[in-house]
Amino acid sequence: MSEITLQTILIVDDSPENLTVLSELLQPIYRVRVATSGRKALRIAATTPCPDLIMLDVMMPGMDGYQVFERLRADPSTRDIPVIFVTAMDSTEAELHGLDVGAVDYITKPVVPPIVLARVHTQLELKQARDWLRDENCYLEAEIAKRMAENELIQEVSIRALAHLAETRDPETGNHILRTQGYVQQLAQKLQTHPLFSATLNDRYIQLLARSAPLHDIGKVGIPDAILQKPGKLTPEEWEIMKTHARLGAVAIEEAERDVERPVIFLTLAKEIAHRHHEKWDGSGYPDGLVGEAIPVSARIMALADVFDALISRRVYKEPMSYAEVRSIIAAGRGRHFDPDMVDAFLTHFSVFCDIAERHRDPVPD
């Protein structure tokens, strides 16, 4: 067996005679390093190659074996090295104490060579098995993380594709999807520490909320072109048809939910947003006239983001409003159109939302 494949054993004993006996016994099979004190043992244990096993004398001057063991366990680089206590203390109590503190075995002096070799071999085999399992687990965890990342990316791309499908029916929305997604994420984060929302708006919820936001107008694929792309004001009859996009979007996502075996939270949020983002705090919204906290948190956030973006954006029937004008309109909608606590957070951090709008501005028409 070549030296590079040899397992390393560190023998710690203040007696040169004991070191010699154990070294001569183990050296034909293993790479052996020795230390005559606890402090030297700790230095060697922390260097490469890291010992695969430590045979540690208990009774040593200065730092005894138990103290050395405690220091080894406290250091992340050495805490997993198996330790066999080797000692002249042959009482049952001493052996139990050694095993209780965490040693893998306990050998009494004078040592019996075949027993030492058998126990060392057993512990090194166990360590190899543990190391293999740890490496295998690390590999599996990395593979799972990779697959999950791939699934998350597929999910995100699928959502964007569906959202862009709706966008092709309503070409004036431009970068509306990117902007509203940014507003939703930022507003949710600003509300995260608010006592009314902290229980709901954890990091995972916000991540899924932002991912779901692009589907808020997916129901528009069911609205006729003559209404959806009409350059002027809609008639009352056309407006009633336009309002059905909220329910159409919710129904479409609900159909998707039925195709999966268990609830998918991002679909739940997407359905809430699509269905309820036109509800108003005072109950004057659609499709069901929900009031106040009966409106899901996700939809209340989306409502504010959607209206802000609509007001600052150019449409065929209107010019974009200035940020100052929009700020006044949002403030006036506090407690009427919008959740008052959300408006407070939005206005406190108004410049953040303006920055997002500037970052994803629609191109200026020729």
Side-chain angles (χ1 to χ4, degrees):
M1 186 181 292
S2 63
E3 185 178 353
I4 196 168
T5 63
L6 294 180
Q7 292 170 293
T8 301
I9 299 176
L10 171 59
I11 306 171
V12 187
D13 200 308
D14 63 307
S15 167
E17 294 81 5
N18 291 334
L19 290 176
T20 299
V21 170
L22 288 172
S23 295
E24 290 180 350
L25 176 64
L26 298 169
Q27 265 179 343
I29 310 170
Y30 308 106
R31 180 193 292 113
V32 174
R33 305 185 73 182
V34 299
T36 54
S37 70
R39 295 193 182 283
K40 186 175 180 182
L42 292 172
R43 286 197 301 271
I44 293 174
T47 60
T48 304
C50 183
D52 296 292
L53 177 69
I54 297 176
M55 303 186 71
L56 180 59
D57 185 23
V58 173
M59 300 174 64
M60 294 187 296
M63 185 183 295
D64 68 24
Y66 295 127
Q67 292 171 313
V68 174
F69 183 85
E70 188 177 344
R71 294 276 292 275
L72 288 168
R73 286 296 177 265
D75 186 339
S77 67
T78 58
R79 67 169 53 139
D80 294 326
I81 303 173
V83 173
I84 297 176
F85 280 130
V86 183
T87 178
M89 297 187 298
D90 60 356
S91 68
T92 301
E93 292 78 8
E95 183 173 355
L96 287 174
H97 178 66
L99 296 174
D100 283 344
V101 297
V104 295
D105 207 343
Y106 190 97
I107 297 174
T108 57
K109 301 174 185 177
V111 298
V112 180
I115 292 177
V116 171
L117 289 173
R119 291 187 174 181
V120 166
H121 176 74
T122 296
Q123 294 305 327
L124 287 172
E125 279 200 332
L126 286 171
K127 182 180 184 300
Q128 278 187 320
R130 286 194 299 270
D131 289 348
W132 183 87
L133 283 173
R134 184 194 62 224
D135 293 343
E136 189 72 7
N137 285 339
C138 288
Y139 170 77
L140 290 174
E141 286 172 4
E143 279 297 301
I144 290 170
K146 179 182 174 183
R147 297 290 175 85
M148 287 182 67
E150 288 173 352
N151 288 340
E152 297 262 326
L153 182 60
I154 291 169
Q155 190 180 91
E156 194 163 342
V157 169
S158 300
I159 291 169
R160 287 291 180 87
L162 287 170
H164 284 303
L165 174 64
E167 194 177 47
T168 60
R169 301 287 321 290
D170 188 12
E172 289 185 324
T173 55
N175 287 327
H176 172 70
I177 289 172
L178 290 175
R179 291 194 299 269
T180 51
Q181 191 172 38
Y183 306 148
V184 163
Q185 184 169 19
Q186 283 297 317
L187 182 54
Q189 288 174 346
K190 302 309 180 190
L191 292 167
Q192 211 171 3
T193 57
H194 193 291
L196 291 177
F197 306 108
S198 58
T200 301
L201 296 177
N202 57 53
D203 290 342
R204 180 60 175 163
Y205 183 98
I206 293 173
Q207 180 189 30
L208 294 174
L209 177 62
R211 185 177 301 167
S212 305
L215 295 179
H216 67 281
D217 274 337
I218 190 67
K220 285 185 176 180
V221 297
I223 303 300
D225 287 349
I227 295 174
L228 192 64
Q229 300 178 12
K230 184 176 179 178
K233 186 176 179 180
L234 299 179
T235 67
E237 293 76 15
E238 290 170 336
W239 177 237
E240 288 303 314
I241 295 172
M242 175 63 88
K243 288 196 296 185
T244 64
H245 83 273
R247 199 178 299 278
L248 288 173
V251 169
I253 296 169
E254 195 169 280
E255 289 294 329
E257 282 185 305
R258 292 196 184 116
D259 292 336
V260 294
E261 295 179 357
R262 56 183 180 178
V264 179
I265 186 170
F266 100 84
L267 286 177
T268 301
L269 292 176
K271 182 170 66 175
E272 285 180 355
I273 291 170
H275 198 186
R276 306 299 184 188
H277 72 285
H278 287 295
E279 300 286 359
K280 296 182 181 181
W281 185 257
D282 64 4
S284 63
Y286 66 88
D288 296 316
L290 299 183
V291 179
E293 293 182 1
I295 306 168
V297 169
S298 59
R300 281 181 259 163
I301 291 173
M302 188 72 236
L304 189 45
D306 196 36
V307 170
F308 172 73
D309 199 65
L311 294 174
I312 65 168
S313 300
R314 176 179 279 102
R315 296 289 183 263
V316 291
Y317 52 86
K318 77 169 192 70
E319 289 299 308
M321 293 185 180
S322 70
Y323 291 127
E325 290 175 298
V326 172
R327 182 187 177 97
S328 297
I329 292 172
I330 297 292
R334 183 185 187 277
R336 295 166 58 195
H337 192 150
F338 310 113
D339 181 327
D341 293 295
M342 291 187 182
V343 170
D344 292 343
F346 187 85
L347 296 180
T348 298
H349 304 281
F350 190 71
S351 62
V352 172
F353 301 99
C354 296
D355 289 342
I356 294 170
E358 291 298 316
R359 196 178 313 133
H360 300 294
R361 291 186 69 150
D362 290 327
V364 178
D366 296 332

